[in-house]
Amino acid sequence: MTPDDVLNAKFRATKFRDGYDQDEVDDFLDRVVEALRARDAGQVPALSVADLERVRFTSVKFREGYEPSDVDELIDRVRADLGGAAGAAPAQAGSSAAFGVTPPPLPNGPADATDGQIPGMVPQRRGLFGRKR
């Protein structure tokens, strides 16, 4: 699958029945195109097969949306092209192995990280009573 295949994809429109929010789908497909271009250039894509597995779009009913089966079919084709079987769970969540790239080694655990935080993760701020802000 090429970036142009994704750019040229057409989806049936829905009105007054459930469909995917067009802006969310278009934004996600822009990320897919960037990932395919990065893969083709031999770079590490910013999108993994796990991201394709986890993506969820807001359902719209009273405004125009994309036919869910059309969008799901395209995402399944992209997933299969990037090394994940359609409908199958990824080998490792967030793994870039499907792109033929070996990720850098992870630390041995929280002992290697500062203050028990995982490197690269933004600590969650919590407000009164431990609720997220």
Side-chain angles (χ1 to χ4, degrees):
M1 171 153 290
T2 67
D4 288 335
D5 293 335
V6 175
L7 289 172
N8 296 325
K10 302 288 184 210
F11 306 115
R12 292 176 285 170
T14 62
K15 272 190 182 175
F16 304 114
R17 60 189 172 93
D18 288 335
Y20 288 152
D21 182 277
Q22 291 180 346
D23 292 333
E24 288 181 13
V25 172
D26 292 342
D27 291 344
F28 185 75
L29 292 180
D30 288 342
R31 292 180 55 207
V32 169
V33 168
E34 290 173 15
L36 291 172
R37 286 180 177 156
R39 180 203 60 187
D40 292 348
Q43 300 170 353
V44 177
L47 191 71
S48 69
V49 173
D51 294 326
L52 295 169
E53 293 284 339
R54 286 189 302 260
V55 68
R56 299 291 180 262
F57 302 110
T58 303
S59 181
V60 296
K61 189 169 193 168
F62 297 108
R63 61 186 166 116
E64 194 168 307
Y66 288 139
E67 177 63 41
S69 62
D70 295 348
V71 176
D72 293 342
E73 180 183 325
L74 178 66
I75 291 175
D76 284 344
R77 287 179 33 219
V78 171
R79 183 185 309 117
D81 185 63
L82 294 177
Q92 179 183 3
S95 171
S96 56
F99 296 102
V101 177
T102 304
L106 296 174
N108 291 332
D112 288 350
T114 60
D115 296 331
Q117 295 292 325
I118 299 172
M121 297 294 294
V122 177
Q124 294 182 349
R125 295 183 53 134
R126 297 199 179 262
L128 192 60
F129 304 112
R131 294 185 180 160
K132 292 181 188 175
R133 287 195 223 180

